[in-house]
Amino acid sequence: MEIDFNEIKVIGFDADDTLWVNETYFRKAEEKFAELLEGYETKNKIDQELFKMEIKNLELYGYGIKGFMLSMIESALELSNNEISQATLLELLNLGKEMIAHPVELLDGVEEVLRNLKGKYRLIVLTKGDLLDQERKLVKSNLSTYFHHVEVLSDKKERNYKDLLDHLEISTEEFLMIGNSLKSDVLPLVNIGARAVHVPFHTTWKHEEVEAPKEKKGYLTVHKLVDVLEYL
């Protein structure tokens, strides 16, 4: 489906797994978590219980590494019937700290795309997660100079986007969102009348998985980020 981008004046970029690698580190941490708890349950059960704990805690902690760390600790206590050792709990804390301190790994083509689009459009970052962690990653990425504005949202639903665009005085017809999640970066934008580009990442958190609409309206899917330059 051909999408007209002629009216676009502002482009929003998701951060995690769109600008830099993120979900891969969570998967590795989950593997380590399962190893530490293997004396209490099967890996499948451990994975399921950790995921349920993360979802239960979203309203309390929001998205990001800190909430994930607390969910690991709470799950470890529950799965072990409070028998987990202090040494293992300390390992879980250190696992989360290692994730926070991990170097930022930019995805292929990110700087090329930003260099090409800067000056032609107003570029902003719209991400969700822990404010301090996202600010830290943006600084580490050395991408700050490309963006006019950075917003860390508590969630990415239609109302979150609508409120932000209204606040920034951006009309939906002039806004394009680029991201890896259909659920968070694409469908909410299309539903409020904006445009979106879906750039799938090879790993997706279960909470972000949704079935793609049978008929694409208002968005297109590209294989890699640099492909957006063919349309903009």
Side-chain angles (χ1 to χ4, degrees):
M1 171 184 176
E2 284 294 322
I3 299 176
D4 185 4
F5 292 124
N6 289 329
E7 290 186 66
I8 301 300
K9 295 181 180 178
V10 183
I11 300 177
F13 285 85
D14 171 50
D16 293 335
D17 300 319
T18 298
L19 299 178
W20 49 66
V21 177
N22 179 67
E23 195 60 29
T24 303
Y25 308 136
F26 280 85
R27 296 291 79 78
K28 289 179 180 178
E30 288 169 355
E31 291 291 331
K32 180 64 176 175
F33 178 76
E35 289 176 14
L36 291 170
L37 273 292
E38 63 184 0
Y40 300 99
E41 267 295 352
T42 64
K43 182 182 184 306
N44 187 53
K45 177 70 170 178
I46 292 168
D47 289 344
Q48 289 177 356
E49 292 305 309
L50 176 57
F51 178 69
K52 285 196 294 187
M53 187 65 72
E54 288 181 82
I55 300 305
K56 186 182 85 170
N57 285 337
L58 273 180
E59 287 189 15
L60 285 174
Y61 307 135
Y63 295 89
I65 295 171
K66 292 176 187 174
F68 175 67
M69 192 189 320
L70 290 168
S71 293
M72 284 196 295
I73 291 170
E74 192 173 351
S75 288
L77 289 166
E78 282 197 3
L79 287 164
S80 69
N81 196 27
N82 293 324
E83 294 178 0
I84 199 78
S85 70
Q86 290 185 7
T88 302
L89 291 177
L90 184 59
E91 281 196 69
L92 295 177
L93 280 171
N94 287 332
L95 187 59
K97 289 179 180 179
E98 288 170 10
M99 292 173 70
I100 292 172
H102 200 285
V104 171
E105 180 184 348
L106 294 183
L107 291 170
D108 290 343
V110 166
E111 288 204 81
E112 178 185 349
V113 169
L114 296 177
R115 276 197 305 268
N116 274 274
L117 297 181
K118 186 180 180 182
K120 299 178 185 176
Y121 303 91
R122 183 178 165 201
L123 306 182
I124 63 177
V125 174
L126 297 182
T127 187
K128 64 184 178 184
D130 178 73
L131 176 61
L132 184 60
D133 187 42
Q134 294 292 25
E135 287 178 340
R136 186 186 294 115
K137 285 192 282 191
L138 190 62
V139 170
K140 287 182 179 179
S141 74
N142 293 316
L143 299 177
S144 302
T145 55
Y146 291 106
F147 298 106
H148 288 81
H149 181 77
V150 177
E151 189 79 23
V152 180
L153 301 164
S154 60
D155 210 337
K156 283 182 165 181
K157 296 180 179 177
E158 292 173 25
R159 175 47 57 189
N160 302 101
Y161 283 115
K162 189 73 170 63
D163 288 346
L164 180 65
L165 293 180
D166 286 347
H167 178 69
L168 298 177
E169 299 181 333
I170 301 169
S171 70
T172 53
E173 295 82 7
E174 296 176 346
F175 185 69
L176 170 69
M177 182 69 185
I178 298 175
N180 68 292
S181 171
L182 271 177
K183 180 180 178 180
S184 294
D185 304 318
V186 175
L187 299 181
L189 277 306
V190 172
N191 290 340
I192 65 172
R195 298 289 177 264
V197 175
H198 181 216
V199 191
F201 188 65
H202 58 74
T203 304
T204 303
W205 187 31
K206 284 190 290 184
H207 186 58
E208 291 293 325
E209 292 177 353
V210 292
E211 190 172 334
K214 292 182 180 178
E215 185 179 352
K216 291 183 180 180
K217 288 185 177 180
Y219 80 95
L220 60 85
T221 299
V222 297
H223 294 295
K224 53 187 183 298
L225 188 62
V226 292
D227 292 342
V228 303
L229 296 179
E230 298 176 21
Y231 304 91
L232 297 168

